[in-house]
Amino acid sequence: MNSRYLGALILIPILALLLIGGWFLKITVLFLSIRALYEYFHVLEKKGHKPVRILGYSAWLAYFLVLFFADHPLSHISVILSVLLAAGFVYMVFSQDVSIADIGITIAGVLYTVVLFSFLVLLSEKENGQYYVYSVFIISWVCDTLAYYSGRLFGRHKLIERVSPKKTVEGALGGLLGGAVGAFVLGTLIYDVSGVSPWHFLVMGFIGAMFGQIGDLAASAIKRYAQEKDYPRIIPGHGGVLDRFDSILFVSLIVYVYTTYVIF
């Protein structure tokens, strides 16, 4: 069987668990995030950095315990990150192999993979939150699909060649349109339930598609910096978790911010 088809068979139940919501989503995000953190550490170690894994994984555990069982989990992030920073400095002082750059890489990894993934959980706990989770995936998928075909059909101008040689400006514009329209259609379909104007979804989809593409480029920039083609493979034909969910991380952040501070 073609490895990409085999990978799709693995991805389908993962996506189904995320879309079902509840504890299925929470446990799936829990494991996806630690795998993503492992992949992030792995590629940067290839470059010669020495992120402090024990601190990163401890922060992952502490944050998800707070996320699952505490009220207002985002209010605890500053404490967790402050403890992580202090522990990192202690580790740096007593270990001559660890530099300030390694501590920064460790903290950035926790923010990038653990905190950003957690916004799927935070979204799901809002009123009508599972629809917002659906919007994250619709924005990301439709953006990716239209960006791909727009780039193939109309692509003439490179977007950021040093980061991702195949991406074009035309493809990026197609992705913005796709994300906006996809979110608008969802907003129209669920308007009677959510009471939120589809035009809010249109704006949210546009901004989400823009940042989703930035998330894709950011993941590529990390790999290019580390001179790695893919993150450690776990999904046949699809690379690692960060290869498949790079845009989802940023879209979920944007949808959370928009639904929290714009849609009241």
Side-chain angles (χ1 to χ4, degrees), residues 4-221:
R4 291 191 67 84
Y5 292 127
L6 179 60
L9 291 176
I10 296 173
L11 280 171
I12 288 171
I14 293 174
L15 295 173
L17 292 172
L18 291 170
L19 296 177
I20 289 170
W23 277 99
F24 292 106
L25 180 147
K26 290 179 179 179
I27 298 302
T28 305
V29 168
L30 177 75
F31 285 106
L32 287 174
S33 63
I34 194 169
R35 172 66 193 192
L37 185 59
Y38 162 79
E39 292 173 4
Y40 169 87
F41 286 157
H42 180 85
V43 296
L44 288 170
E45 284 172 343
K46 292 281 190 177
K47 188 65 177 178
H49 296 290
K50 297 179 180 178
V52 187
R53 284 178 177 262
I54 185 63
L55 295 183
Y57 296 146
S58 296
W60 163 81
L61 179 60
Y63 180 68
F64 271 97
L65 286 173
V66 167
L67 182 68
F68 290 167
F69 302 112
D71 294 327
H72 311 295
L74 286 178
S75 65
H76 299 279
I77 284 183
S78 59
V79 175
I80 293 172
L81 291 178
S82 296
V83 171
L84 177 60
L85 177 65
F89 281 148
V90 170
Y91 205 99
M92 181 182 67
V93 168
F94 289 98
S95 176
Q96 60 182 358
D97 295 329
V98 175
S99 69
I100 185 68
D102 297 322
I103 302 304
I105 285 170
T106 303
I107 296 172
V110 171
L111 284 168
Y112 178 39
T113 62
V114 179
V115 176
L116 289 188
F117 250 124
S118 76
F119 283 108
L120 288 172
V121 176
L122 293 167
L123 278 171
S124 73
E125 294 180 342
K126 287 175 172 284
E127 183 179 2
N128 299 314
Q130 201 57 33
Y131 289 116
Y132 294 139
V133 174
Y134 298 161
S135 75
V136 169
F137 287 92
I138 288 171
I139 292 167
S140 179
W141 291 342
V142 179
C143 173
D144 286 349
T145 301
L146 261 71
Y148 174 76
Y149 285 107
S150 297
R152 287 198 64 179
L153 293 173
F154 308 112
R156 297 292 183 273
H157 304 89
K158 297 295 184 182
L159 184 60
I160 307 177
E161 192 170 5
R162 64 179 176 80
V163 174
S164 187
K166 294 183 179 180
K167 287 185 170 54
T168 63
V169 173
E170 293 81 4
L173 293 174
L176 292 176
L177 177 63
V181 172
F184 181 80
V185 171
L186 174 66
T188 301
L189 292 174
I190 66 171
Y191 176 70
D192 289 340
V193 177
S194 70
V196 177
S197 169
W199 295 104
H200 272 304
F201 279 86
L202 180 77
V203 175
M204 186 170 69
F206 182 87
I207 300 171
M210 179 172 64
F211 277 87
Q213 293 184 76
I214 292 172
D216 190 343
L217 290 167
S220 296

